[in-house]
Amino acid sequence: MDPVNGGNNTHKVVYTYDPEDLNSKKKKKKKGKPEGSRKKSRTWLKALLIIFLTIAIVVLAGIGLKMNNVSLSLDSLDFGSFDTSMFFSGNSDDEKAESEGDYIGVLSIHGTIGEDSQTYNQQWLLETIKQMKDDPANKGLILSLNTPGGGVYESDELYFAIQDYKSAHKPVYSYMESMAASGGYYISAPCDKIYANRNCWTGSIGVTIGTIFDVSELLDKVGIKTVTITSGENKAMGNQLEPMTDEQLEIFQSLVDEAYDQFVGIVAEGRHMSDEDVRNIADGRIYTAKQAKELELIDEIGTFDQAATDMMAQYKFQNCSVRQFSYEPPVTWKSILDLISNAGNTQATGEYQELMNLMEKNGKFTIAYLSEVRK
């Protein structure tokens, strides 16, 4: 390698002492300023090395967190002496392969129903239920729930998926962990048996459309004028920039009432109760496991181990293993870059920024079977 010009030579170079040649090289060195170029190259190399190391650390941290989450999720379920050697992640190719031997599937439903997260994915849940229904090795299903509920549409989708699974003459149990409220109870109602941890909160049988803000007076205060152009007086109802009329309030209430009637019917059918009895206890309140059992909203208070043992004994599944199905999001370059980007974001504060954040939610409503009370 030429130490002056930085060239790459594959042959051996022999240097001889020639004063004139040496002087000419010194002159070239002064004119071309190769030292500065090399310093600039080294700076870029350092920058690239730092970026590479940062990405590597994030990837390793993500993998470590992923493994830690799996470990925590398994420790939180008391599987006792059951065989849990086979665990499926939400994106594993093994998930689509048929299991070896008969098994009871345990489907984790963790997080807000309908909101994709690190633990929840609606489409994955629907596909997994369908897969187990069609799998001859699968003999039963236990829903392992830790959710405050969620969207009306998504909760109803899961309800129909569970009903479809039961059409294959396979039993379904619900095991309520720390919380299975509102939409969580909605999808538990059709199950053949409901177990709840003694520390569980459940119930919250009701519907919410959330809080609708009226910031019209605030806008007047700060001198902001708005104009909304619509084809009818109720087209922009719920607009935070205008006071809600009595007619619009009635329209919103009718949407909530219809979803509530549907919820009551689901509970009445699943728990073999009359609509009137359900309405008497379905005012949206949270119930403890003990209170829920007294009201016959659940069947037993116990551990996951007891629920699995019950299913095995009730349906003579002694030779079945118990296998966990939990969603895990894929680790992609986009997710890594999003993580790096979000880590550098700062939340702006101040009256005007809060106002702008509120304006972004203007006109967006979700009718939900969602508990506002959280653990």
Side-chain angles (χ1 to χ4, degrees), residues 240-260:
Q240 298 174 355
L241 311 180
E242 299 175 359
M244 185 179 297
T245 67
D246 291 339
E247 181 183 18
Q248 291 169 350
L249 182 60
E250 289 179 4
I251 293 172
F252 275 122
Q253 189 62 54
S254 69
L255 300 177
V256 170
D257 291 343
E258 186 171 318
Y260 175 74

Side-chain angles (χ1 to χ4, degrees), residues 70-102:
V70 173
S71 176
L72 289 173
S73 66
L74 300 182
D75 291 339
S76 65
L77 295 176
D78 181 12
F79 287 101
S81 60
F82 296 115
D83 175 16
T84 59
S85 59
M86 183 174 182
F87 299 96
F88 293 89
S89 68
N91 303 285
S92 172
D93 292 336
D94 295 337
E95 177 183 298
K96 298 181 180 180
E98 287 193 0
S99 305
E100 295 180 2
D102 294 344

Side-chain angles (χ1 to χ4, degrees), residues 32-51:
K33 298 181 181 179
E35 283 298 324
S37 300
R38 285 203 296 271
K39 287 182 180 179
K40 187 178 291 185
S41 299
R42 285 197 294 268
T43 301
W44 276 104
L45 287 173
K46 287 180 181 179
L48 290 173
L49 181 60
I50 290 171
I51 293 172

Side-chain angles (χ1 to χ4, degrees), residues 29 51 54 78 93 113 175 209 213 224 289 293:
K29 182 176 180 180
I51 293 172
T54 301
D78 181 12
D93 292 336
I113 295 173
Y175 178 69
I209 203 170
F213 295 92
I224 297 177
K293 190 172 188 304

Side-chain angles (χ1 to χ4, degrees), residues 316-363:
K316 299 179 180 179
F317 293 158
Q318 283 80 0
N319 294 325
C320 279
S321 61
V322 176
R323 293 172 181 164
Q324 179 80 16
F325 291 73
S326 300
Y327 174 74
E328 293 178 12
V331 177
T332 62
W333 281 110
K334 183 180 182 302
S335 66
I336 293 170
L337 293 174
D338 287 344
L339 181 62
I340 295 173
S341 175
N342 292 335
N345 287 341
T346 57
Q347 181 64 42
T349 58
E351 183 180 24
Y352 289 99
Q353 184 59 45
E354 292 298 325
L355 177 60
M356 294 307 297
N357 292 339
L358 189 63
M359 297 285 285
E360 288 181 0
K361 300 178 182 179
N362 185 36

